[in-house]
Amino acid sequence: MSGRDPFCQPRRSRSGAGLTLVFVGVLVAGAATGSLPGHERGSAASAHRAVPVPSAPVGPPAPGSAPGPSDPDSAAASAHRSSSPVSPSEQVARAAAEAMAAGKSPVEAAEHAVSRSGDRWGAVYSPGDYEEFQDALDGRYTGVGLWARRARDGRIDVTEVQTGSPAADAGIRAGDRLRSVDGETVDGRPVTDVVSLLRGDADDAPAGTSVTLGLQRGSRTWTRTLRRARLSTDSVSVRRLSDGTTVIRITAFTKGAGDKVRTAVRGAPARSGIVLDLRGNSGGLVTEAVTTASAFLDGGLVATYDVDGSQRALHAEPGGDTTRPLVALVDGGTMSAAELLTGALKDRGRALVVGSRTFGKGSVQMPTRLPDGSVAELTVGHYRTPAGRSVDGHGITPDLDAGTDPLSRARTVLTGLGDPS
């Protein structure tokens, strides 16, 4: 895909709370699809089934729908609501409803309300944007099929090219330098801005539209025009090293990722170690992160989280592989649901964590459907690791630094962990 993570924020004309294109992946992803458990753990089926956000619009009551004197329960509830503080989500919904009634844009009104709330991760999505979000959770996206990262000197390097994508057909390779997109120089720009240009976010560019890339390989420079396409990506890849080590890389927790990890663990050679590569993983469906944790744990706590002051817990399923040596490889791009998984494996003593401090995104967002069908998502709480540590704003500190060659470092650590038998 265009960029290093599939949870780039869906296309929008405005940024609500000032977010750029880094998407909130993460607990909001689970909430948005109805996959976050409540006070009780849901079934595996319900955890993996996409459930739409309730479609009933939020706004003024319809004529004749207001409670009257003959309805004491409703009247009491109404009195309680009027005396209770108005929540940020209610404020946003109210602003959108009032704007719609006045013939103004409810989305713009909601975005202004989100911005005023100071919610760093709050956002407002049009119905189309939200549909695109759902596609991203299913592993579908519009782009040219390349991943990129910014080097320390500010240059933008291609790190991976998807097989069969427009970028692959154009002969672009990992290691190439991306110099410009549609004539705009990208050196020194955040990767999220580069992603936006590649996707054509400013113009809501659909599949079939063209984008011109300026590239460099060694001393050779050239330009190539590609056409964006609807692509799908496998967020889990597995490879076996010469020493028998199995490397499982998870780029995002899209639907089915957890089961793929379980299959990979079961298929790994006996008594061999596993490197769980979570570098650059921006999050995704929390249920998939919990399923992944279940591949390495025999039940027990994965994380706790609060929603408007109500404490809840996420648990692993029993029966995971608890003996095989395991190293989790992380970096500053490891965030959200990936941090939730890392924290669980670290606190439960199941894995050694190698790399650099993770991003520090540990907040919970919940969706509210607005009168025009758009969706506002606001922070309602935060999650903690099994040891009670907060991730938000802090990240997770690894057990060992990655050094100059993270994968080699991880393999060395695995050797020190020894034979699980």
Side-chain angles (χ1 to χ4, degrees):
M1 73 174 316
S2 306
R4 63 184 177 131
D5 79 75
F7 289 104
C8 294
Q9 189 176 26
R11 299 184 179 98
R12 299 184 290 148
S13 60
R14 296 177 181 269
S15 59
L19 288 177
T20 54
L21 288 171
V22 173
F23 187 57
V24 192
V26 302
L27 285 173
V28 61
T33 56
S35 58
L36 269 179
H39 292 284
E40 297 179 358
R41 295 170 60 192
S43 67
S46 66
H48 290 82
R49 184 177 64 247
V51 180
V53 178
S55 59
V58 177
S65 64
S70 62
D71 188 355
D73 291 337
S74 296
S78 178
H80 174 73
R81 284 193 300 270
S82 65
S83 62
S84 300
V86 179
S87 70
S89 60
E90 291 173 325
Q91 292 175 11
V92 172
R94 180 179 298 175
E98 291 174 351
M100 191 170 183
K104 299 178 181 178
S105 169
V107 172
E108 290 188 10
E111 286 175 340
H112 286 309
V114 170
S115 181
R116 288 194 301 270
S117 75
D119 187 342
R120 179 187 178 194
W121 296 104
V124 180
Y125 305 104
S126 70
D129 291 340
Y130 210 67
E131 182 179 354
E132 183 179 338
F133 172 24
Q134 301 290 346
D135 283 347
L137 293 176
D138 287 332
R140 301 190 302 269
Y141 62 94
T142 298
V144 297
L146 65 81
W147 282 258
R149 69 180 175 192
R150 189 173 74 173
R152 290 185 177 180
D153 62 0
R155 62 185 285 168
I156 303 297
D157 293 326
V158 176
T159 58
E160 187 176 341
V161 177
Q162 182 175 340
T163 302
S165 67
D169 293 343
I172 299 172
R173 302 198 304 239
D176 289 345
R177 178 182 178 183
L178 182 62
R179 298 171 58 90
S180 65
V181 178
D182 284 336
E184 293 192 38
T185 300
V186 296
D187 282 355
R189 299 184 66 163
V191 171
T192 50
D193 285 0
V194 179
V195 169
S196 179
L197 293 172
L198 287 168
R199 288 163 47 108
D201 286 348
D203 301 316
D204 285 342
T209 55
S210 62
V211 56
T212 300
L213 310 185
L215 299 150
Q216 181 175 345
R217 183 181 302 158
S219 59
R220 176 194 171 202
T221 60
W222 77 102
T223 61
R224 188 67 185 266
T225 299
L226 287 66
R227 290 195 177 277
R228 299 180 180 93
R230 287 291 290 164
L231 302 169
S232 60
T233 183
D234 191 344
S235 62
V236 178
S237 61
V238 182
R239 63 189 176 109
R240 193 157 297 145
L241 306 182
S242 58
D243 61 358
T245 297
T246 298
V247 179
I248 304 175
R249 183 187 179 198
I250 311 174
T251 57
F253 289 106
T254 54
K255 291 178 182 176
D259 285 338
K260 290 177 182 178
V261 173
R262 278 178 158 174
T263 299
V265 172
R266 295 189 188 109
R271 297 190 298 276
S272 67
I274 291 178
V275 174
L276 189 63
D277 191 350
L278 300 174
R279 291 175 296 173
N281 184 320
S282 61
L285 290 165
V286 168
T287 48
E288 298 297 338
V290 173
T291 300
T292 299
S294 300
F296 302 103
L297 299 171
D298 187 18
L301 186 64
V302 173
T304 59
Y305 65 100
D306 61 276
V307 176
D308 291 331
S310 175
Q311 296 298 314
R312 308 183 187 185
L314 299 167
H315 293 89
E317 295 179 10
D321 187 329
T322 60
T323 59
R324 191 187 299 272
L326 177 65
V327 168
L329 198 55
V330 301
D331 64 7
T334 304
M335 55 189 296
S336 207
E339 291 177 289
L340 180 148
L341 171 63
T342 302
L345 297 177
K346 177 181 171 71
D347 283 4
R348 297 281 301 274
R350 181 59 188 91
L352 279 177
V353 180
V354 174
S356 55
R357 183 186 295 272
T358 61
F359 183 87
K361 168 66 174 70
S363 58
V364 184
Q365 283 72 40
M366 289 293 182
T368 298
R369 181 74 70 175
L370 301 179
D372 66 335
S374 57
V375 176
E377 285 172 347
L378 296 177
T379 299
V380 296
H382 299 82
Y383 74 80
R384 294 179 178 272
T385 68
R389 291 180 296 151
S390 174
V391 174
D392 203 52
H394 305 286
I396 294 174
T397 301
D399 299 304
L400 298 168
D401 183 80
T404 57
D405 189 339
L407 185 56
S408 293
R409 176 69 159 161
R411 294 172 70 180
T412 300
V413 172
L414 278 178
T415 302
L417 292 176
D419 190 326
S421 62

